Amino acid sequence: MPVVYGALFALLLWAVFSAVAALSFMLVFLLVVMAYRAKQLYKLGRWLSEPRPETIPDGGGIWDDVFSSLYKMVKRHNQTKQKLADELQHIEQATAALPEGVVSLNEARRVEWCNPLAEQHFGLDVNSDILQDITYLVRQPEFIQYLHAGNYAEPLVMKAARHEDMVLSIRLVPYGGNKHLLISHDITQLERIETMRRDFVANVSHEMRTPLTVVNGFVENLLDMPDLSHDKIRRALELMEEQTRRMDHLVSDLLTLSRLENDHSPLRTEMVDMKSLIAEVYQDGQMLSDGRHQYSLEMAGPLKISGNREELRSAFTNLVSNAVRYTPDGGAIRLDWALHSGHPEFSVQDSGIGIDAQHIPRLTERFYRVDRSRSRETGGTGLGLAIVNRIALRHHARLQISSRVGEGSSFTLVFPENAVEEK
Ligand code: ADP
């Protein structure tokens, strides 16, 4: 509008004065208009470098509309940017919380991004390893082979490079065309359980097979030789009975252990009368020893503790039975129920064959035996101390073992101080 007014005024000047006057006026007028617009553009440029509502320049006229439209645009842009940044942070937090390691690989198998767990599993550094070839960073041959084979249906199980005892299950998942997600899962614990399970099945099968083979042999003999004397048949049946008793013992120990290890059978406690319980255990031991040992009992501990009577009896009897079985005739066995520094303690000391220090940490493993044949000869299953240890754990007690080869052993169950409190 100002230019139109200026032009009309110039026409008026032309009509009244001359064309030169009109053109001169128009020239000066346009210069003023251009200077004004340049000033507005300069203000706009400055404001755009830091667009805030309170600093919107006062343009006047059409400039006001331009400034406020631009401001709205910038505001919308900032909001979108903030929303995207929030979402990105959200995704980053979610992937950091994933129980799996995740590495995103581009078309050239270079690292685009990874979460903290993947950094641990593969020894990556999210700051310095971006856009590095994954095969330079994870160099195990089995991994490189897996990557090149291109068959990712089955996961790869391998050891972590920097932690030898960590076992990883790795999977490559294609996405977005030719990109891949490398997903790693720490299966160390699962592998350990699986190995234990395999060992356990192998051990049980082995333990069962030995008596079964013996019984089988006798049965075949009896079938093949129908004319055997009565005495021989009787002897064979006695030996078979011994083996079946052994199997029975083994199965009952296995069932006890399985019940104790079952998380769904919580410990039912009561205040157990220790005097009568230990008297029973003592008598059982006396029967087993059958006068072959100097056998004694010291009763100075609390009269009652909180626990499960049946389980405590089983643990104590196992310890006493071991002492009898691993102490040669004439040796001494002493049972002791005492209170030490507030802790109730049940201990069984013997002057038996003793145990070499290297075996002591492993004695509570299932089927661990120092001398296999001696354990078997005396009717052992290799599960006794595993049962004792399990019962100790359920009672928040500790099993302490000290021993010297040729001198004897001492097995002590140390109960928590609060076991004497009525619950
Ligand atoms: P087992 O049925 O073989 O006795 P346990 O679990 O009760 O199984 O004991 C594990 C092993 O610990 C035994 O095989 C034996 O070698 C050793 N052991 C346990 N108690 C004694 C002891 N009092 N003296 C010597 N060795 C023992």
Side-chain angles (χ1 to χ4, degrees):
M1 285 309 281
V3 179
V4 174
Y5 290 139
L8 286 175
F9 190 69
L11 280 175
L12 196 68
L13 283 180
W14 195 357
V16 177
F17 299 102
S18 65
V20 175
L23 278 174
S24 306
F25 166 78
M26 206 52 207
L27 186 68
V28 172
F29 182 75
L30 284 176
L31 277 174
V32 171
V33 170
M34 275 172 66
Y36 176 73
R37 300 227 158 133
K39 189 179 153 207
Q40 297 299 70
L41 279 174
Y42 170 73
K43 278 193 199 165
L44 174 65
R46 267 213 354 213
W47 179 75
L48 278 179
S49 64
E50 206 183 329
R52 277 185 287 140
E54 59 278 14
T55 56
I56 289 186
D58 188 8
I62 196 165
W63 287 101
D64 274 343
D65 296 343
V66 171
F67 287 156
S68 81
S69 301
L70 271 173
Y71 170 69
K72 278 182 197 144
M73 228 169 79
V74 168
K75 195 171 159 192
R76 266 200 311 275
H77 171 74
N78 280 349
Q79 279 170 345
T80 316
K81 212 165 99 183
Q82 187 57 44
K83 212 168 134 202
L84 283 176
D86 287 349
E87 273 172 19
L88 197 68
Q89 199 190 15
H90 198 75
I91 291 171
E92 265 180 14
Q93 282 170 349
T95 43
L98 273 180
E100 272 140 355
V102 184
V103 185
S104 139
L105 301 175
N106 68 11
E107 293 80 355
R109 306 266 161 88
R110 287 173 186 272
V111 175
E112 280 183 326
W113 165 89
C114 69
N115 72 349
L117 214 54
E119 287 187 284
Q120 267 182 37
H121 289 171
F122 298 112
L124 302 179
D125 180 342
V126 77
N127 298 316
S128 57
D129 291 336
I130 294 299
L131 288 184
Q132 293 276 354
D133 191 326
I134 189 71
T135 53
Y136 289 139
L137 303 168
V138 184
R139 306 186 77 109
Q140 285 104 309
E142 63 268 38
F143 173 74
I144 294 173
Q145 215 176 347
Y146 177 74
L147 211 64
H148 293 320
N151 176 13
Y152 309 132
E154 286 297 313
L156 166 75
V157 174
M158 68 173 209
K159 289 202 163 142
R162 304 220 177 141
H163 315 271
E164 262 295 292
D165 46 0
M166 187 192 276
V167 185
L168 297 174
S169 164
I170 285 167
R171 229 189 167 119
L172 225 62
V173 182
Y175 81 101
N178 204 14
K179 294 183 171 197
H180 284 91
L181 279 183
L182 172 61
I183 296 173
S184 57
H185 191 59
D186 181 354
I187 54 162
T188 317
Q189 199 58 18
L190 278 177
E191 279 287 296
R192 211 169 279 155
I193 292 170
E194 184 55 19
T195 313
M196 268 168 64
R197 196 189 62 80
R198 272 197 301 264
D199 288 355
F200 184 67
V201 172
N203 275 323
V204 172
S205 316
H206 179 76
E207 296 290 332
M208 292 296 239
R209 176 167 292 157
T210 319
L212 265 178
T213 313
V214 177
V215 172
N216 218 9
F218 283 125
V219 172
E220 275 174 13
N221 273 350
L222 290 175
L223 286 175
D224 291 349
M225 294 184 264
D227 306 327
L228 272 182
S229 70
H230 185 75
D231 279 357
K232 283 200 174 137
I233 294 178
R234 192 177 169 75
R235 177 77 192 126
L237 287 174
E238 274 169 11
L239 290 171
M240 278 159 72
E241 194 209 4
E242 194 183 307
Q243 296 303 322
T244 49
R245 214 182 303 126
R246 219 174 108 182
M247 279 192 282
D248 188 47
H249 197 174
L250 179 67
V251 171
S252 91
D253 270 5
L254 280 171
L255 286 174
T256 306
L257 201 55
S258 132
R259 190 171 40 77
L260 292 171
E261 286 180 351
N262 185 352
D263 294 337
H264 301 298
S265 67
L267 185 73
R268 274 197 302 272
T269 57
E270 54 184 310
M271 286 313 281
V272 180
D273 176 354
M274 297 308 281
K275 212 170 159 204
S276 80
L277 172 67
I278 292 176
E280 283 172 28
V281 173
Y282 182 72
Q283 267 169 24
D284 290 349
Q286 218 159 19
M287 262 165 55
L288 285 174
S289 163
D290 200 17
R292 288 176 291 131
H293 307 99
Q294 296 167 39
Y295 191 58
S296 62
L297 165 69
E298 187 75 35
M299 265 303 283
L303 293 180
K304 283 189 173 173
I305 66 164
S306 142
N308 182 289
R309 191 176 202 280
E310 206 187 314
E311 290 190 15
L312 290 176
R313 186 175 171 173
S314 161
F316 293 179
T317 310
N318 263 305
L319 293 181
V320 173
S321 141
N322 278 356
V324 172
R325 288 166 44 231
Y326 297 105
T327 305
D329 293 358
I333 296 171
R334 193 180 120 118
L335 275 57
D336 198 358
W337 175 240
L339 191 69
H340 283 145
S341 320
H343 292 268
E345 288 184 5
F346 176 78
S347 76
V348 181
Q349 289 163 41
D350 64 57
S351 62
I353 58 173
I355 307 155
D356 198 285
Q358 57 164 329
H359 299 291
I360 291 180
R362 301 196 57 191
L363 290 184
T364 53
E365 286 176 24
R366 303 171 202 166
F367 298 113
Y368 189 86
R369 292 149 158 145
V370 179
D371 179 348
R372 224 155 242 284
S373 55
R374 180 163 187 135
S375 158
R376 288 226 179 87
E377 274 163 29
T378 55
T381 58
L383 295 172
L385 290 181
I387 291 174
V388 174
N389 195 44
R390 201 68 218 177
I391 294 173
L393 284 176
R394 283 164 70 86
H395 284 79
H396 306 289
R398 278 193 326 269
L399 174 64
Q400 282 178 349
I401 307 172
S402 64
S403 188
R404 267 173 187 274
V405 177
E407 289 183 19
S409 317
S410 153
F411 288 77
T412 308
L413 279 167
V414 183
F415 291 88
E417 285 176 80
N418 65 6
V420 287
E421 289 164 18
E422 192 108 26
K423 293 204 175 109

